[in-house]
Amino acid sequence: MGQGDAFGDLYDRHRDRVFRHAYRLCGNHHDSEDIMAAAFLELWRRRKHVRVVEGSILPWLLVTTTNVARNRARAAARYQRLLNSLPRSREPDDASADPYRRYQNQLDNDLAQALASLTIEDLQLVSLVVFEEHTIAAAAAILNLTPSAAKSRMHRARQRLRTALNGDASTNSPTAATPVLEGERS
């Protein structure tokens, strides 16, 4: 089996988890595909220097995916600042848009923004423990942390995420009970 075939096997084995991880970080399907492709490209480019943890390449891929997503978010922010500086006309809101789709998009964006509020080290730790279901000890080993340091970082990261997600109470679920005004019941 050549290097290309081995790389194809790694891609087939880990692409779904890498894609899900990228989607959690950016909240956009198309961007997730680009991030996943960049992570696998980086894997190919650095194939002689990749660190295998507990016999798996997946932790390296997840950390690389996190780094690619953060770099992409920074580039998108710079691009958005440029766009915001340009004069433009306002587009009318699309009233026919699906409310569940809007709500899901809002949740995805809120989660992506909350995750972006973490430091890179905390984001990698949260990604490995929460999303990829590694134990804190395993995640600590992957990130070269002591288990107690990882546990402390995880606690602080959860607090920051909770604060970031609860900061905007203006978003309500479309399935939430709608108050009925007197005389409107049939």
Side-chain angles (χ1 to χ4, degrees), residues 155-174:
H155 177 71
R156 286 193 305 263
R158 283 185 175 138
Q159 287 179 324
R160 280 196 295 271
L161 287 173
R162 188 174 299 121
T163 300
L165 290 173
N166 292 333
D168 183 12
S170 64
T171 306
N172 293 322
S173 167

Side-chain angles (χ1 to χ4, degrees), residues 51 53-54 135-147 150:
R51 184 172 163 216
V53 177
E54 297 176 355
T135 63
I136 288 184
I142 292 167
L143 299 173
N144 291 326
L145 297 170
T146 64

Side-chain angles (χ1 to χ4, degrees), residues 90-139:
R90 294 190 57 99
E91 294 182 20
D93 291 336
D94 184 10
S96 64
D98 180 10
Y100 292 102
R101 186 77 163 157
R102 278 196 321 258
Y103 180 69
Q104 184 62 49
N105 288 341
Q106 183 63 44
L107 286 177
D108 291 345
N109 288 333
D110 290 348
L111 181 59
Q113 286 179 354
L115 290 171
S117 70
L118 299 176
T119 65
I120 186 75
E121 295 84 9
D122 290 348
L123 178 60
Q124 290 170 343
L125 181 62
V126 167
S127 297
L128 291 172
V129 172
V130 175
F131 301 126
E132 294 301 323
E133 301 177 355
H134 289 277
T135 63
I136 288 184

